Structures are given as C-alpha cells and as structure tokens.
Amino acid sequence: SAVISQKPSRDICQRGTSLTIQCQVDSQVTMMFWYRQQPGQSLTLIATANQGSEATYESGFVIDKFPISRPNLTFSTLTVSNMSPEDSSIYLCSVAAGTARNTEAFFGQGTRLTVV
Amino acid sequence: AQSVTQPDIHITVSEGASLELRCNYSYGATPYLFWYVQSPGQGLQLLLKYFSGDTLVQGIKGFEAEFKRSQSSFNLRKPSVHWSDAAEYFCAVAIAGAAGNKLTFGGGTRVLVKP
C-alpha cells in the first residue's frame, strides 16, 4: 500500500494568483498522477509525473497552467497558475503501488481549492 | 481511448434494501476495473478491483461486483445497504498492463439511503 499526504488540504485564493500543492508518498514510486475533480463532477486526469522527466499532460491541460515538479521518487508538486473561479476544484494526487499482478491506485485526501 | 459510463447519476435506496450500481466501459481489450467510494469530505477508497480470473469479485464493506465481458459491464452490488453507504461511487478502468495507473473514471453515482 501507499500513504499519500497532500498539502494544503484546502485553500481560498484570489483570482490571478497561483497555488502550489504538495504530494508526499511514504514509498518510492515511479509514476505519480494528478487529478482534478470539479464540483459535482468525476475525476479527470491532469497529468502523469515521472521522476527525472517532464510531466505528460492529458488533452485539455497545459504545462503553463499546471506546471508539475517531480524532484524525487516520493514527492511531487502541482501548481495551479493564474487562477480563475473555474479552477475551483478538488485536486488529488495518486500513485500506483503493489506487485505487477496486483496493483491499485492510492489517492491523497485532496486539496479543495476555491478561487474568489 | 477507453471510456466509462455510469448511467445512474443518483440512486435512492431504503436502508436494508439491495443496491446495484451500473458501470459500462468501452475498451478494445480487457481492462483492469475498479470501484471507488467517496464519502462526503473524504478521499477515494477502493472497494474492489478486477484484473482476471473469477468474474465475481468480493470487496470491502459487503460489496461485490461482476465482470461481464459480453456486456462490457462491471456492476456493483450490495445485498443490504446501511445508512453509512450513502456516498458517491465511481467506476474506473485502467489499461491492462498498467493497473492502477492512469485511471479513467465514470461520472459517478450518488447514493442516498432512506431510513
């Protein structure tokens, strides 16, 4: 299993500012994933973060808006840049852990972001 | 690209009654399939998963799910719901060979439990 800590758990931010969300895992993992959950919606993958390389972004998400760092195998950050009220969402960090035949995704508690 | 459909946005069920949540997926091969539950203000908790083998999968909290390849479905069931089962339920798929990675989620089904 994997235990994931996300900081902050929630924040209220002014439009036009940026927020950096931290994700710490209690074990070394190859890939870390960032998801967005807009109010009342399902989860959408933003990007996959590999250590030592640039993150891979899903369609509709760009690095300028959501820069990601992955300095080591247990840590990643997601920045939400130049925020607008439409960015108000829960942002979740996720990792896959387990054996090759029995893996599952583990999620942090999420960061609830409100942009005013 | 794979996709997941949960046809029911909301389901209301009486406490003690049975519950079935529908999930259909679209993918060319057999994916890895998951059900997650998200309680209000909580993170995502894995209920159960299917990788291969027995198509009836047992999970936590008394839940089970059945994989039906012919129908591309992975429906979640519970024989008798408890008030604490009120939550949002998400079906998800991952590409086989990348289990737990890069999940595609369904839209979710919100379950309300009447006393």
Side-chain angles (χ1 to χ4, degrees):
Chain A
S1 67
V3 178
I4 301 173
S5 301
Q6 265 186 253
K7 293 181 182 178
S9 58
R10 59 178 62 227
D11 207 343
I12 301 173
C13 300
Q14 297 291 323
R15 68 178 66 200
T17 63
S18 298
L19 176 72
T20 296
I21 302 168
Q22 299 180 3
C23 178
Q24 179 75 51
V25 188
D26 68 343
S27 57
Q28 293 184 338
V29 293
T30 303
M31 288 187 284
M32 298 176 76
F33 305 89
W34 288 98
Y35 290 85
R36 181 177 73 181
Q37 186 177 22
Q38 294 177 298
Q41 303 295 315
S42 185
L43 286 80
T44 301
L45 181 65
I46 297 171
T48 303
N50 292 325
Q51 194 267 334
S53 63
E54 281 200 1
T56 303
Y57 289 83
E58 298 299 307
S59 175
F61 298 96
V62 295
I63 187 171
D64 290 345
K65 177 66 175 178
F66 297 102
I68 288 172
S69 78
R70 183 77 201 276
N72 57 54
L73 292 173
T74 63
F75 188 78
S76 178
T77 67
L78 170 76
T79 299
V80 186
S81 303
N82 189 25
M83 288 183 285
S84 67
E86 292 71 35
D87 294 319
S88 297
S89 298
I90 298 173
Y91 292 86
L92 296 106
C93 173
S94 173
V95 302
T99 64
R101 287 182 170 272
N102 189 20
T103 63
E104 68 178 79
F106 295 88
F107 289 84
Q109 289 291 87
T111 296
R112 184 180 294 273
L113 170 63
T114 302
V115 183
V116 298
Chain B
Q2 67 268 30
S3 66
V4 183
T5 302
Q6 293 180 243
D8 304 304
I9 298 175
H10 294 99
I11 285 181
T12 300
V13 60
S14 297
E15 192 168 14
S18 63
L19 174 69
E20 180 167 13
L21 305 182
R22 296 183 290 165
C23 173
N24 294 96
Y25 68 91
S26 172
Y27 182 60
T30 301
Y32 292 166
L33 297 159
F34 306 84
W35 275 100
Y36 285 87
V37 60
Q38 186 178 40
S39 299
Q42 301 295 311
L44 285 164
Q45 182 179 24
L46 179 68
L47 287 175
L48 47 77
K49 59 191 175 187
Y50 173 79
F51 288 174
S52 65
D54 192 348
T55 56
L56 185 62
V57 181
Q58 302 297 321
I60 63 171
K61 303 186 178 186
F63 285 93
E64 66 178 26
E66 186 171 12
F67 169 61
K68 292 185 177 180
R69 183 190 306 274
S70 61
Q71 299 177 18
S72 296
S73 69
F74 188 56
N75 294 347
L76 182 71
R77 298 192 293 257
K78 184 168 184 177
S80 177
V81 298
H82 186 261
W83 63 266
S84 60
D85 293 322
E88 184 106 27
Y89 292 80
F90 293 98
C91 181
V93 302
I95 299 172
N101 300 346
K102 199 171 180 177
L103 296 174
T104 298
F105 285 85
T109 299
R110 183 169 297 278
V111 173
L112 303 175
V113 180
K114 296 189 301 184

